[in-house]
Coordinates of all heavy atoms in Angstrom, one line a residue:
F1 N 139.9 106.4 97.8 CA 139.5 105.1 97.2 C 139.8 105.2 95.7 O 139.4 106.1 95.0 CB 138.1 104.7 97.4 CG 137.7 104.5 98.9 CD1 137.3 105.6 99.6 CD2 137.9 103.3 99.5 CE1 136.9 105.5 101.0 CE2 137.6 103.2 100.9 CZ 137.1 104.3 101.6
F2 N 140.6 104.2 95.2 CA 140.9 104.2 93.7 C 140.4 102.9 93.1 O 140.7 101.8 93.6 CB 142.4 104.3 93.5 CG 143.0 105.6 94.0 CD1 143.5 105.7 95.3 CD2 143.0 106.8 93.2 CE1 144.0 106.9 95.8 CE2 143.5 108.0 93.7 CZ 144.0 108.0 95.0
T3 N 139.7 103.0 92.0 CA 139.2 101.8 91.3 C 140.2 101.3 90.4 O 141.2 101.9 89.9 CB 137.9 102.2 90.5 OG1 138.2 103.2 89.5 CG2 136.8 102.7 91.4
S4 N 140.1 100.0 90.0 CA 141.1 99.3 89.2 C 141.1 99.9 87.8 O 142.2 99.9 87.2 CB 140.7 97.8 89.1 OG 139.4 97.7 88.6
D5 N 140.0 100.4 87.3 CA 140.0 101.0 85.9 C 140.0 102.5 85.9 O 139.8 103.1 84.9 CB 138.8 100.5 85.1 CG 137.5 100.7 85.9 OD1 137.5 101.3 87.0 OD2 136.4 100.2 85.4
S6 N 140.2 103.1 87.1 CA 140.2 104.6 87.2 C 138.9 105.2 86.8 O 138.9 106.4 86.3 CB 141.4 105.2 86.4 OG 142.6 104.7 86.9
A7 N 137.8 104.5 86.9 CA 136.5 105.0 86.5 C 135.6 105.0 87.7 O 135.8 104.3 88.7 CB 135.9 104.2 85.3
D8 N 134.5 105.7 87.6 CA 133.4 105.7 88.6 C 132.5 104.5 88.4 O 132.2 104.2 87.2 CB 132.7 107.0 88.7 CG 133.6 108.2 88.9 OD1 134.7 108.0 89.5 OD2 133.2 109.3 88.6
H9 N 131.9 104.0 89.5 CA 131.0 102.8 89.4 C 129.8 103.1 90.2 O 129.9 103.5 91.3 CB 131.7 101.5 89.8 CG 132.8 101.1 88.9 ND1 132.7 100.1 88.0 CD2 134.1 101.5 88.7 CE1 133.8 99.9 87.3 NE2 134.7 100.8 87.8
S10 N 128.6 102.7 89.6 CA 127.4 102.9 90.3 C 126.5 101.6 90.3 O 125.9 101.2 91.3 CB 126.6 104.1 89.8 OG 126.3 103.9 88.4
T11 N 126.4 101.0 89.1 CA 125.6 99.8 88.9 C 126.4 98.5 88.8 O 125.9 97.4 88.6 CB 124.6 99.9 87.7 OG1 125.4 100.1 86.6 CG2 123.7 101.1 87.9
N12 N 127.7 98.6 88.8 CA 128.6 97.5 88.7 C 129.8 97.7 89.6 O 130.1 98.9 89.9 CB 129.0 97.1 87.3 CG 129.8 98.2 86.6 OD1 129.6 99.4 86.9 ND2 130.7 97.9 85.7
L13 N 130.6 96.7 89.9 CA 131.7 96.8 90.7 C 133.0 96.8 89.9 O 133.1 96.0 88.9 CB 131.8 95.7 91.8 CG 130.6 95.7 92.8 CD1 130.7 94.4 93.6 CD2 130.6 96.9 93.7
P14 N 134.0 97.5 90.3 CA 135.3 97.4 89.7 C 136.0 96.0 90.0 O 135.6 95.4 91.0 CB 136.1 98.6 90.2 CG 135.5 98.8 91.5 CD 134.1 98.5 91.4
S15 N 137.1 95.7 89.3 CA 137.8 94.5 89.7 C 138.3 94.5 91.1 O 138.3 93.5 91.8 CB 138.9 94.2 88.6 OG 138.4 94.1 87.3
Y16 N 138.9 95.6 91.5 CA 139.3 95.8 92.8 C 139.3 97.3 93.2 O 139.3 98.2 92.3 CB 140.7 95.2 93.1 CG 141.8 95.8 92.3 CD1 142.5 97.0 92.8 CD2 142.2 95.3 91.1 CE1 143.5 97.5 92.1 CE2 143.3 95.9 90.4 CZ 143.9 97.0 90.9 OH 145.0 97.6 90.2
V17 N 139.4 97.6 94.4 CA 139.5 99.0 94.9 C 140.7 99.1 95.8 O 140.9 98.3 96.7 CB 138.2 99.3 95.7 CG1 138.3 100.7 96.3 CG2 137.0 99.3 94.8
E18 N 141.5 100.1 95.5 CA 142.7 100.4 96.4 C 142.3 101.4 97.4 O 141.8 102.4 97.1 CB 143.8 100.9 95.5 CG 145.1 101.1 96.3 CD 146.2 101.7 95.4 OE1 146.7 100.9 94.5 OE2 146.5 102.9 95.5
I19 N 142.6 101.0 98.7 CA 142.3 101.9 99.8 C 143.6 102.6 100.2 O 144.6 101.9 100.5 CB 141.7 101.2 101.0 CG1 140.4 100.4 100.5 CG2 141.3 102.1 102.1 CD1 139.9 99.5 101.5
K20 N 143.6 103.9 100.3 CA 144.8 104.6 100.7 C 144.5 105.4 101.9 O 143.6 106.2 102.0 CB 145.2 105.6 99.5 CG 146.5 106.3 99.8 CD 146.9 107.2 98.7 CE 148.2 107.9 98.9 NZ 148.6 108.8 97.8
L21 N 145.4 105.2 103.0 CA 145.3 106.0 104.2 C 146.5 106.7 104.5 O 147.6 106.2 104.2 CB 145.0 105.0 105.4 CG 143.7 104.3 105.5 CD1 143.6 103.4 106.7 CD2 142.5 105.3 105.5
K22 N 146.4 107.9 105.0 CA 147.6 108.7 105.5 C 147.3 109.2 106.9 O 146.3 110.0 107.1 CB 147.9 109.9 104.5 CG 148.4 109.5 103.2 CD 149.0 110.7 102.4 CE 148.0 111.8 102.2 NZ 148.6 112.9 101.4
M23 N 148.1 108.7 107.8 CA 147.9 109.1 109.2 C 149.1 109.9 109.7 O 150.2 109.6 109.3 CB 147.6 107.9 110.1 CG 146.5 107.1 109.5 SD 146.1 105.6 110.6 CE 145.3 106.4 111.9
K24 N 148.9 110.9 110.5 CA 150.0 111.8 110.9 C 150.5 111.6 112.3 O 149.7 111.3 113.2 CB 149.6 113.2 110.7 CG 148.4 113.7 111.4 CD 148.1 115.1 111.1 CE 146.8 115.6 111.8 NZ 146.5 117.0 111.5

């Protein structure tokens, strides 16, 4: 999971979250 600002979040949400999957 990658956040929009490349930072960690605990009490607020990032603008968006990129979900990355790799299946073999």
Side-chain angles (χ1 to χ4, degrees):
F1 299 91
F2 297 93
T3 59
S4 56
D5 54 2
S6 302
D8 299 338
H9 291 258
S10 59
T11 58
N12 65 327
L13 297 172
S15 298
Y16 66 86
V17 176
E18 182 182 291
I19 303 171
K20 184 178 180 181
L21 291 179
K22 291 195 300 181
M23 305 182 76
K24 57 184 180 180

